[in-house]
Amino acid sequence: PSPLGGLPPAWKLDAAVLVRLGAEIPVGEKTSYAVSLGADFRSRATDAEVMPTLSMGVVSTLF
């Protein structure tokens, strides 16, 4: 038996709705922290119905 169980179909149409909410917190004249919370709502039966997300980062300028 193949570990992949065969090839998937060439094309498959699915839907996903992405919801995000974020904030940027200034810590200096040219630098901020960024935080984003959200969720991905998916229609594919093999995926989780809701996939929560959390993103954190630093935003800065080069000049």
Side-chain angles (χ1 to χ4, degrees):
S2 171
L4 297 177
L7 295 175
W11 290 94
K12 184 175 181 180
L13 184 62
D14 291 311
V17 175
L18 311 174
V19 178
R20 299 282 187 271
L21 179 64
E24 194 170 314
I25 302 119
V27 293
E29 185 177 323
K30 297 181 178 181
T31 305
S32 298
Y33 292 131
V35 178
S36 174
L37 295 171
D40 297 350
F41 299 92
R42 299 176 175 255
S43 67
R44 194 179 328 173
T46 57
D47 288 344
E49 290 181 12
V50 178
M51 298 172 63
T53 62
L54 169 65
S55 302
M56 297 183 290
V58 176
V59 180
S60 187
T61 180
L62 297 175
F63 302 100

